[in-house]
């Protein structure tokens, strides 16, 4: 009588090998749709298990929602950029219509207050740009002196343009024509140059976060380039009229 042969131990497939094999045979489930319906995978929110098809539907829905959110972000950014462009265009066109330096400064202050919620503006120009004018400059234009020049240079810290917190003391010094906040505000300062120093442009807000340090200063630098050219233009026009 022969002894019965012992059954072979049950073999368990290595999950990594199964995954590798399925990756190499993506058509394995073609014709085996019933098997797909029997497969269970963990619920993405940790609530037991769901079918593979339900998981696929869930993942596709999440991807669609993410794509929709990204599209909305892009549209919001496009709307914001379009608004910025239109406001900047209107500002520059209004500056081009200013007849002299005082009108330039007043137009600048009005447009920035109405279109960009800027509380106050100062346009600091050296005496060489104003001493030939028949009348003293009117606010927001100011004649640059050593005290204001040194403080503006210190706030810029060697840069051409910079956003900074503005103390009430600095506000009274740099924007003497505008009401200072009770404690502190914020500002963005840019140098005005066109082959030579032409002063400084200061935009200020009573809100300490309006011109926070992390903001980009590209707009202010562009505005400074426009203002510098117009200041020189008005200076030359004044010389020609005399």
């Amino acid at each position: 009588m022969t002894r019965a042969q012992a059954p072979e131990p049950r073999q368990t497939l290595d999950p990594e090998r199964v995954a590798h094999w399925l990756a190499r045979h993506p058509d394995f489930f073609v014709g085996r749709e019933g098997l797909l319906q029997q497969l269970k995978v963990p619920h993405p929110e940790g609530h037991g298990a769901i079918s593979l098809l339900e998981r696929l539907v869930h993942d596709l829905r999440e991807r669609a929602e993410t794509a929709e959110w990204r599209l909305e972000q892009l549209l919001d950014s496009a709307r914001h950029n379009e608004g910025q462009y239109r406001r900047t265009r209107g500002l520059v066109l209004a500056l081009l219509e200013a007849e002299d330096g005082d009108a330039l400064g007043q137009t600048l202050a009005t447009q920035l207050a109405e279109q960009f919620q800027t509380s106050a503006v100062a346009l600091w120009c050296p005496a060489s740009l104003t001493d030939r004018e028949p009348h003293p400059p009117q606010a927001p234009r100011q004649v640059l002196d050593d005290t204001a020049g040194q403080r503006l240079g210190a706030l810029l810290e060697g840069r051409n343009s910079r956003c900074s917190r503005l103390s009430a003391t600095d506000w009274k010094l740099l924007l003497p024509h505008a009401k200072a906040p009770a404690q502190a505000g914020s500002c963005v300062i840019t140098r005005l140059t066109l082959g030579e120093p032409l002063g400084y442009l200061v935009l200020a807000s009573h809100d300490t976060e309006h011109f926070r340090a992390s903001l980009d200063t590209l707009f202010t630098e562009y505005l400074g380039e426009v203002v510098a050219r117009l200041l020189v233009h008005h200076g030359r026009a004044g010389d020609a009229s005399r």
Side-chain angles (χ1 to χ4, degrees):
M1 185 175 179
T2 60
R3 180 178 297 179
Q5 187 175 3
E8 295 182 0
R10 184 177 180 181
Q11 295 183 352
T12 302
L13 295 176
D14 180 11
E16 293 298 327
R17 294 182 62 185
V18 173
H20 179 70
W21 189 91
L22 287 174
R24 294 181 57 189
H25 299 81
D27 59 345
F28 173 75
F29 290 102
V30 175
R32 298 182 176 89
E33 288 75 12
L35 180 58
L36 281 174
Q37 297 177 6
Q38 297 177 34
L39 293 178
K40 298 291 182 180
V41 295
H43 194 283
E45 299 177 0
H47 306 306
I50 57 176
S51 72
L52 179 61
L53 294 180
E54 288 177 308
R55 177 59 184 266
L56 290 174
V57 170
H58 179 277
D59 290 349
L60 288 173
R61 184 182 296 113
E62 280 196 341
R63 292 181 185 180
E65 291 174 354
T66 300
E68 183 178 358
W69 177 82
R70 289 178 178 174
L71 178 59
E72 189 61 33
Q73 292 291 105
L74 289 173
L75 291 174
D76 286 343
S77 178
R79 295 187 193 101
H80 173 75
N81 291 337
E82 181 182 4
Q84 286 288 90
Y85 163 74
R86 292 184 181 277
R87 289 192 293 271
T88 303
R89 178 177 178 272
L91 168 61
V92 172
L93 290 176
L95 293 177
L96 291 174
E97 294 176 355
E99 297 180 352
D100 54 30
D102 282 339
L104 175 68
Q106 292 163 9
T107 299
L108 184 65
T110 300
Q111 288 288 321
L112 286 172
E114 293 178 353
Q115 302 298 329
F116 295 93
Q117 292 74 53
T118 303
S119 303
V121 175
L123 190 56
W124 287 91
C125 302
S128 59
L129 284 179
T130 59
D131 58 6
R132 291 173 293 182
E133 298 178 1
H135 305 287
Q138 300 297 308
R141 286 203 303 162
Q142 303 287 343
V143 178
L144 185 64
D145 55 22
D146 290 341
T147 302
Q150 290 174 4
R151 187 57 189 148
L152 286 164
L155 288 172
L156 278 173
E157 297 182 347
R159 309 177 199 176
N160 289 325
S161 188
R162 177 174 180 257
C163 293
S164 172
R165 185 181 178 87
L166 192 66
S167 68
T169 301
D170 281 336
W171 185 296
K172 293 174 182 177
L173 172 64
L174 303 179
L175 298 111
H177 55 282
K179 182 179 179 181
Q183 297 182 345
S186 60
C187 71
V188 55
I189 306 170
T190 189
R191 296 182 191 273
L192 302 178
T193 59
L194 190 61
E196 60 178 338
L198 296 175
Y200 301 87
L201 173 62
V202 183
L203 312 185
S205 172
H206 290 162
D207 182 358
T208 56
E209 292 298 313
H210 190 79
F211 294 112
R212 56 188 180 276
S214 60
L215 286 179
D216 183 77
T217 59
L218 183 62
F219 167 77
T220 313
E221 292 171 8
Y222 167 70
L223 182 58
E225 291 174 353
V226 173
V227 169
R229 283 161 173 78
L230 291 175
L231 285 173
V232 172
H233 168 74
H234 290 308
R236 291 171 179 170
D239 290 341
S241 64
R242 286 194 291 272

